[in-house]
Amino acid sequence: MTDNAAIQFKNVNYSAGGTHILKDITGVFVKGKITTLVGPSGAGKTTLFKLCNGLIPPDSGEIYLHDKHIDSYDPVKLRLGVGLALQDATMIRGSVRNNLALPMELQGKQLAEEHANELMEVVDLDKQLLDQDAKEISGGQRQRLSIARTLVNNPEILLLDEITSSLDRVSKKDVENLIMKINRDYGTTIIWITHSIHQARTIGDYTWVMMDGSLMESGESGLLDNPENNAVNQFVKGEVE
Ligand SMILES: Nc1ncnc2c1ncn2[C@@H]1O[C@H](COP(=O)(O)OP(=O)(O)O)[C@@H](O)[C@H]1O
Ligand SMILES: [Mg+2]
């Protein structure tokens, strides 16, 4: 077990529908750092996230969270400690407050007014929005709300799956700054799947490059400037979709 690992994969394999989706993945996501995860569509990035918060179990290999085997966690606690935010920032019908309170309600609890205000402040959303219909807020606001919602349970690890893909340049920058602030202020470990090599390079401390179910290269994000592997090099230079 590596001391500074938030998540560690050891020879992890996963198949579904007759496809070998993740192939012998061994690697570490460093605690308190931002790791960006890049690779072509279908590389297995989203599947890897599902393994990280226990939504699916591996066929073989081991996954450790902090110093404990993932199987030793209570599944509910695991999902609370490892927050997941998705590209489409799905909202339930109702107000912004209803959406923010969802993770608490699922635990049969209520979200205190003070806590709601505090979360809105963290993601820099106006408290006035709490009573607005969640369908009526902008894409950028919805993505902030989605991030706030994952923060309700103070997760130690945050998994972000292409959360800025559908945002304009300004909102994208705002969300990047927000995530860097959360990482700095709370020491939250961030793993961020992105389509943008530029974003992966500028936001990441570390980067994983996945292709066709394999972890091709990993290390400090500077590796993207000069990948060792030829296929990775072609992907990074935009020659492979
Ligand atoms: N439940 C499943 N059954 C069969 N194939 C799947 C399943 N989930 C994902 N896949 C396949 O696994 C591959 C990786 O998918 P995914 O993890 O979503 O990749 P990425 O997020 O990198 O685009 C894709 O080819 C996808 O079609
Ligand atoms: Mg994906």
Side-chain angles (χ1 to χ4, degrees), residues 39-106:
S41 240
K45 305 181 297 295
T46 298
T47 305
L48 188 104
F49 268 11
K50 290 181 184 166
L51 286 160
C52 287
N53 79 346
L55 281 174
I56 50 175
D59 296 330
S60 64
E62 315 298 330
I63 302 170
Y64 296 91
L65 261 90
H66 302 296
D67 48 357
K68 280 165 53 187
H69 197 280
I70 195 162
D71 288 350
S72 67
Y73 287 84
D74 171 74
V76 174
K77 288 218 180 88
L78 182 63
R79 243 151 274 168
L80 298 179
V82 184
L84 176 62
L86 302 168
Q87 175 179 3
D88 56 2
T90 313
M91 294 293 140
I92 57 161
R93 209 178 302 183
S95 64
V96 167
R97 187 191 308 278
N98 293 145
N99 274 276
L100 194 56
L102 190 62
M104 296 299 264
E105 276 176 17
L106 292 175

Side-chain angles (χ1 to χ4, degrees), residues 165-192:
S165 296
S166 58
L167 300 182
D168 62 65
R169 198 171 48 84
V170 175
S171 308
K172 197 172 282 198
K173 255 285 72 50
D174 285 348
V175 169
E176 287 176 357
N177 289 333
L178 168 61
I179 295 299
M180 289 195 284
K181 188 179 96 177
I182 290 168
N183 168 255
R184 223 178 22 243
D185 292 355
Y186 307 112
T188 311
T189 303
I190 310 284
I191 311 174
W192 190 333

Side-chain angles (χ1 to χ4, degrees), residues 1-217:
M1 188 61 214
T2 312
D3 263 0
N4 63 350
I7 305 182
Q8 186 166 27
F9 277 68
K10 276 190 182 165
N11 306 106
V12 169
N13 286 280
Y14 178 77
S15 299
T19 313
H20 196 176
I21 300 175
L22 294 177
K23 299 168 184 167
D24 201 34
I25 303 285
T26 295
V28 160
F29 292 110
V30 181
K31 194 184 287 181
K33 299 286 182 188
I34 300 178
T35 301
T36 49
L37 179 46
V38 297
S41 240
K45 305 181 297 295
T46 298
T47 305
L48 188 104
F49 268 11
K50 290 181 184 166
L51 286 160
C52 287
N53 79 346
L55 281 174
I56 50 175
D59 296 330
S60 64
E62 315 298 330
I63 302 170
Y64 296 91
L65 261 90
H66 302 296
D67 48 357
K68 280 165 53 187
H69 197 280
I70 195 162
D71 288 350
S72 67
Y73 287 84
D74 171 74
V76 174
K77 288 218 180 88
L78 182 63
R79 243 151 274 168
L80 298 179
V82 184
L84 176 62
L86 302 168
Q87 175 179 3
D88 56 2
T90 313
M91 294 293 140
I92 57 161
R93 209 178 302 183
S95 64
V96 167
R97 187 191 308 278
N98 293 145
N99 274 276
L100 194 56
L102 190 62
M104 296 299 264
E105 276 176 17
L106 292 175
Q107 300 169 72
K109 296 179 192 164
Q110 288 200 325
L111 179 66
E113 185 64 19
E114 213 171 296
H115 193 186
N117 289 339
E118 192 185 295
L119 288 164
M120 293 293 274
E121 206 167 302
V122 169
V123 298
D124 205 18
L125 283 176
D126 196 323
K127 290 177 197 108
Q128 310 277 349
L129 286 176
L130 278 169
D131 294 309
Q132 202 155 318
D133 190 325
K135 290 272 186 307
E136 283 166 10
I137 61 178
S138 74
Q141 288 174 328
R142 195 157 49 233
Q143 203 47 267
R144 283 164 183 281
L145 176 57
S146 169
I147 292 164
R149 196 166 55 182
T150 65
L151 294 175
V152 168
N153 294 296
N154 296 319
E156 291 180 50
I157 300 169
L158 211 46
L159 309 176
L160 309 172
D161 196 346
E162 303 197 13
I163 57 165
T164 58
S165 296
S166 58
L167 300 182
D168 62 65
R169 198 171 48 84
V170 175
S171 308
K172 197 172 282 198
K173 255 285 72 50
D174 285 348
V175 169
E176 287 176 357
N177 289 333
L178 168 61
I179 295 299
M180 289 195 284
K181 188 179 96 177
I182 290 168
N183 168 255
R184 223 178 22 243
D185 292 355
Y186 307 112
T188 311
T189 303
I190 310 284
I191 311 174
W192 190 333
I193 296 175
T194 172
H195 252 90
S196 160
I197 301 295
H198 174 75
Q199 190 177 49
R201 173 72 177 97
T202 51
I203 303 306
D205 298 304
Y206 298 94
T207 297
W208 279 32
V209 186
M210 287 179 66
M211 295 181 86
D212 193 26
S214 298
L215 176 57
M216 305 292 284
E217 276 190 47

